[in-house]
Amino acid sequence: MAGKQTRTGRPTGLRLFRNLNAKVAAVPMVLTTLVVFVGGTLWTVLYSFTNSKLLPRMQFVGLDQYKRLWSNDLWNAAIWNLAFYGVMSLVFTIVMGFVLAVLLDQKIRFEDTFRTIMLYPFALSFIVTGLVWQWILNPEMGIQEVVRRMGFETFTFDPLHNPSTVLYGLLIAGLWQGTGFTMCLMLAGLRGIDEDIWKAARVDGIPKWKTYVYVVIPMMRPVFVTTLVIVAAGIIKLYDLVVAQTSGGPGNASQVPAMYVYRYMFTAQNLGQGFAASTMMLLSVLIVLIPWAYLEFGGKKHG
Amino acid sequence: MVDAAIIITPPSVAVSAVQPRGAKPKARFSGSNIMLYGTLFVVSVYYLLPLWVMVMTSLKGMPEIRMGNIFAPPVEITFQPWVKAWSEACTGLNCDGLSRGFWNSVWITVPSVIISIIVASVNGYALVNWRFKGSEVFFTILIFGSFIPYQIMLYPIVILLRELGIYGTLYGLILVHTIFGMPILTLLFRNYFSSLPEELFKAARVDGAGFWRIYFQIMVPMSLPIFVVALILQITGIWNDFLFGVVFTKPETYPMTVQLNNIVNSVQGVKEYNVNMAATLLTGLVPLIIYFVSGKLFVRGIAAGAVKG
Amino acid sequence: MKNWKLAAGLLLSVALPSGAYATDLEVTHWWTSGGEAAAVAELAKAFDASGDHWVDGAIAGGGDTARPVMIARITGGDPMGATQFNHGQQALELVQAGLMLDLTDVAVANNWKDVVNPISLLEGCTIDGKVYCAPMNIHSPEWLWINNKIYEDLGIPIPTNWTEFVASAPQVDAAGKIPLALGRQPWQSTLAFNAIAVGVGGLDLWKKVNVDKDMDVAAGPEMLKVFQASADARKLAVKSTVQDWNQATNMVITGDAAGQIMGDWAQGEFAVAGKVAGKDYTCLPGLGLNAYLSTGGDAFYFPKLTDPDKEAAQKRLAALLVSPEVQVAFNLKKGSLPIRGDIDMSAANDCMKKGLEILKSGNVVPAGDQVWSPDVQTQLGDMQSEFWSGDMTPEDAQARYVEILKTGL
Amino acid sequence: MNSLNQTATQAAAETTAVQTHSIQVKELTLSFGSVSVLKNMNIDVAEGEFIVLLGPSGCGKSTLLNCLAGLLDITDGEIWIKGKNVTWAEPSERGIGMVFQSYALYPQMTVRGNLSFGLKNARMPKDEIEKRIARAAEILQIEALLDRKPAALSGGQRQRVAIGRALVRDVDVFLFDEPLSNLDAKLRSELRVEIKRLHSRLNNTMVYVTHDQIEALTLADRIAVMRGGIIQQLAAPQEIYNRPSNLFVAGFIGSPSMNFLHGATIEGGGAFQFGRTRVNLAGYEGGAVLDRPRAILGLRPEHLHIQDHAEPGLTIPAVVEIDEPMGADSLVWLEAEGGLKMSVRVPVERRMAAGTEVHLKVDIPKASIFDTGTEQRV
C-alpha cells in the first residue's frame, strides 16, 4: 500500500502516490477512454476532413465530404429511415415494455414462465432475429401464405418487399428482440415503488389505471429516462438487424446510417466519406446524450 | 446486442423486489382476469412464434418445407438438417459446419467474459470508493463511449491492434471485447457498488484492509447479483458478436456467428431453410440455455437493485 | 503427396528456394456459391498436389462483405497468404502503400506478357511497371439467361435477343411466371443496367461514357434510351424479391422465372444443377443485341509476408494460378473465360464457346470495375438499387447518374 | 469568525492545560473545489476525554470525524494523535477504532469474522486474536452471537458487535459516528448508558458525533457545537447549557428552546427594554452589557417563574395560551407583548387555564444577552 509509512509534514509530492493501487487499477479505464474513445473519435473526426480512400491519408479537403454527404440521397434516406424507425421503436418499446410489466405485476400465476417467454429473444443476436423474421414474413411461405391457405386468397402481408412498409417489418423484429428487456427494467421499477403508495391509492378510492397514470408513472420517471437512453443508444447503432433482415432494401427503403458508414468506408473505399458520416452519427449521439446528462447530473453536485 | 445499460441501485429492496406489487386481481374468472390472461397469451404467441418456426423448420425435409406452411409441425421428423448444420454444411471448401466455430466461440468467449468483467468491476469499485482527480471525467467519457456505433471505432481499433502487434490474435479479440464491454459493465458495477453502504468500505479501511483486500473480501462477496447480470450479458453479448468476430479473426478462428453467416449466405443451389434454421438454433443455443436456466437470476439481479436514472 | 515430383517439375520455371515445400497458405475469397465452390476446389486441389497446403478462407455474402474483412486484415498487420480482388482499382492503394508482394519475377519467368489475353487484364495488375496480381479469369456480365422450357410450354419461340424477350414478357406473366429474375443487391441492379447499356446502347455509347468519360454523352438522349429500357425491365422484375444472385439464377433454373441478366458465372449454377446449355437454357451474350462483352475479372493478390518460406509459396501459387492446367480446370467449373488464349478449351460448353469467340474477335470493352473507382461503383449501386426497386423516372435517374460519374472524374 | 475560533481554542486550552493531548487538530481545513466544508479548525482532546461533536445535519461533524479517521484527505492543516502527526497516515495506522451509524458489519462474515477481520489484516497471531475477541465479547456480552451472521442479529446486537469491532483493535481513540441513530428510543437510552459505562471502564478517548443533544449532554466531557463547518463553542455540557457563547448554540441546545426577546439594552447596560416592558439586568453574569440599540435577551423556560402580580423591572406580562403536561413537569406556552411566544416550565400540578393573565419573573443571573448584530453573548 502506498500509505505504509506514517508521513510527517506536507507530502505534496507524495500525494500522487496515495492510493496507488486504486490508480494502477484505473489504468485500463483511463487508457480506454483516452486512447480508444477520445483518441479514436478525434482521429475519425480529423480524417473526415480528408479525401482518404482505401487508406487514411492526410490530404485535407475541408468540408467537401460533408457537402457530399448531405447531398447524397442515400444518406438522407438513411437518416429519415432511422428517425422514423427510432421514434416508432422508442414509443412502442416503452409502451409495450411498461404494459407488459404492469400485466406481469398483477400477482398472476406462472409469472416466471411468461417472463422467460418475453425475455428469451434478448438472448438471441440481431442476426438470428433478422433471419427468422425474414423467414416468417416471407410471402411465399410465411404468414401471408398460411393465411391464404386458410381461404383468404387475397390476403397480403408482405412488409419486407414494399418500400413503404419495410420499416414496420424491421420494427416487428426489433420489438420482438428488445421489449422483453425493457419489460424487465420496468418491472424492476414497478417493484421498487413503495407498497404504501398502493395502499394509499386504495384507501383514497383511486381506480387502478389512474393510480398507474398519475402516481406510478411519474414516480418511475428515472426508470423511463434510463430505458429511453438505452433504447435510443441501441437505435443509433442499428445495423445487424437490417443487414440480416433486409440488407437495406427494397431499394434503399431500409438503409440506416450505420450501414452507410460501413458501406462507404469499406465497399466504396472512401474512408473520408465514411468518417464524415460517422462524425454525423456521433453528433446525433451527443444530441441524444447531452440533454440526458443534463437532466441526470445537472442539478445534483456533491449530493 | 442491445446495449444493456442496466442501472442498479440499492439492494435493500431485493427481498421484496421479486414479489408482485400491483393491485390484486379480482376473482379468478372475472372478466378482467380473462382479459389479463388472454392478453398475456396473445403476447406469448408473438414471442414464441419465431422459436416455434425455427424448431419446426429445422426438423423438416426440404420437400415438406416447399409444400407445407412454416407453422405446421413436421409430418416426418428428420434430424438431418441438424447434422448437416453441425458438421457438414459448406463455406467455400470447408465442409465441417458449425462444429469448429463452436469451440472457437468458447475459446473467445470464456477469457473475454472473465477479463472484461474483472476489469469493469475493478473500474466500478475504484470509481465509487477510490475517487481520484478526474475519475468522474473518465467515467463520463466512458459512458459517452457506450453510445458510439462500433463501425465508427473500427478503423482506429484496427490501427491500435496493429501497433500493439496483436491484430488477428485471441489477445486482440479479448482486448476489443474488454474495451467495448467496459462502458456498460463499468456503469453497472459503479451503480451497484455505490448502492452498497459506504460505511462498510470505511469500516474496512479502519480495519486496515487495502484496495484489493476490500475488493475481494468485502465488495465481491456482496455483489453476487450484479456479477450474475454482468456474466449473462457478457456471455450472450460476446457469443452473439458478429462484427468483431469477422473483422478481428481469421478463418481458423471464426466464431460460430461468423460461420452461421457464412453457412446461411453460402447458397449452393436452393436455400436450405431447414439447415439454416438448425444452424441458427445451434448458434443461439448457448445464450438461450443461459437465459432459460438463469433468466430468473438475471431478472432478480436487475430487480435486486431496481432501476434508477 | 503423390504428385510431389510432378508438381515440382511443373513449377521448375519459378525460382524456388530448395526444401521450402509444404507451406500453408491461407487464401481468402468470396466464392461460395455451388459453381464457385467447385471451381475453388480445383485451385486447392492443384495447390495441395504441388506439395503446399491451401487453407481455405471463404467469406460468404459477396465481395461487399468480404473485402472489408480482407482490407482490415491486411492493414491490421495480419495478412493472409493470398486474396481475391477484382481487377482494377480495388487494391490500388494497398499496392501503393507497399503492402502487396511484387510478382514481376514470376510474371517474367512464366512469360505472362505473351500468354495473358486480353493483355488489358495483365495491365490491370501492373502498377508502375510492376506486376502485383495474378489474373484468374475473365468475366463478362452482359448475358441474358433464359429458361427454354417456359417458352416451349407456352408454345412461343425462345427469344433471341432482349427486344424479343421484352415482347414475350406479357405472355410469360400471364402464365404465372416471373419474366425477369433480379436479385435485390445494389451490384446486381448496376449489372443489369450496364448490360442493357451495352446491349441497347451499343459499344460506342459505352466507350464514350465509360472510357472517354464524356459527360455530355452520359447526359444525352442516347443514354436516356438506356434508362427508359431499364425502366421497362424493372417492371418485368417486380415480383422477384430474392437477394442473392444465385437465388435469382435458381428461379430461372427451376422455371419460376423466364430469364435473368447475369454474368457468365451464372453458368456454373446451371452446370451444378445438371442443365445443358442450348437444350435446357439459352444464353445470349450482349443480351443478344450487340456481341460485345465488357471484361473484368478476378485476380489474386499476395500481401507481403515476413516469412521467406511463405513468400516463396505465394510465388508458387501465383505461377500455378496462371498455368494452363489450372486455368482450364478452374474456368470450366466456374463458367468464366480463361485468361490465356493458348489453351485448349474444347471441353467448354455452348455458352462458354460463344464467349470465347467474342473474346477472340476482340469485341471487348473494359468493365466498370476497371474504369471507375469503388467509390463511384458504390454510389452507382445505391442509385441503381433505388431505381430498380422504386418508381424513379428515367430522367431523374439519368441526372443522378451523371452527377455520380462526375465525382469520379 | 476568527474571534469565535479563538474563544473555542482558549476554552479548550484552559480545560486541558494540565492533561496530555490525545488528539490535536491544527488549522484543519477541508474543501471540495471551491466549497469549504470545514474551516480552520483547532481542537485539542485530552487523554481519556469524551468529546461529542454536536450540530444540525450538514454542519460538518461527521466530515470532521472522517477526517480524524483518515477516511477523507484534508486540504490543509494537521492532525496529531497520541503525539504523532497522522495527517497522511492510513486509517488503520492511526490507532483508532470506529463505530458507524449503520453498524457497517460485513454481511458475509460471522460476528467472529467481523471482529477478527482487522486483526487478521494486521497479521496478528491467531491466539492473540482469539484472546481479544473473547475479551470484547465478554465486555459487550455477545459471546453467544459469535458464530452468527449479522443478518441474524437484532439492531442492538449489531451495534454491540460494531462496538466490539472497535474494541478488539485495542486502541486509545474511539470514534463514534451517530452510533445510536438507527435504534429505537428504549434501546438507544440503554446503549447510551452502556457506552458511558464502557468509557469509564476503558477510559480511552472517545469522539462521538450526534445530532441528539440528550446524548451529548449526558455523555460528553465536553461538547463541540458545530455549524457550517465551524466550531461554535467547545465546552463542558453545563457551560454550553448555561452560558451559550452565541445565539445559535443557545437556540440549538435545550428543549424546548430558549425564549428570545428582541429589544435593546439601555441605561448603560443596566436594563433591557422590549416594547413597553423593561427588565432590570442587575445580577447578569456576563461581560459589559453596555447600551446596545439591538439586543436579544435569552431566557430558558425553567428560568422564568409564573406569578400573578407584576413587579416592575422584574416581570414580563403575558397571557396563557396552552399548557402541556409532560409527566415530571409541565410546559406552559404564553403570549407576551407583540405576539411573542414564550414557554415556561412549571411543576406539573400547577394547571393554567387559557387566557389567564400572568406575570413572568425573570431569573437574571441565569439569563443570556446577545448582540443582535454579532449574535455573540455579551
Side-chain angles (χ1 to χ4, degrees), chain C residues 145-154 156-159 252 257-258 270 276-283:
Chain C
W145 306 86
I146 293 173
N147 181 316
N148 290 356
K149 189 165 179 293
I150 288 185
Y151 290 92
E152 283 158 13
D153 291 350
L154 282 172
I156 50 176
I158 296 163
V252 180
F270 285 99
V276 180
K279 182 170 149 275
D280 298 314
Y281 64 100
T282 301
C283 50

Side-chain angles (χ1 to χ4, degrees), chain B residues 19-40:
Chain B
Q19 299 306 319
R21 287 283 189 79
K24 242 183 193 153
K26 288 165 200 136
R28 188 160 284 183
F29 292 107
S30 68
S32 66
N33 235 5
I34 292 170
M35 275 281 289
L36 176 64
Y37 284 100
T39 314
L40 283 172

Side-chain angles (χ1 to χ4, degrees), chain C residues 192-237:
Chain C
F193 173 82
N194 285 340
I196 292 173
V198 170
V200 176
L203 182 69
D204 280 352
L205 182 66
W206 172 266
K207 276 191 171 165
K208 273 181 195 151
V209 174
N210 293 295
V211 181
D212 305 339
K213 304 194 175 171
D214 185 335
M215 288 304 114
D216 294 335
V217 177
E222 283 195 63
M223 206 60 203
L224 183 61
K225 269 187 214 152
V226 175
F227 274 98
Q228 280 158 347
S230 300
D232 294 338
R234 77 180 169 195
K235 282 185 214 143
L236 309 184

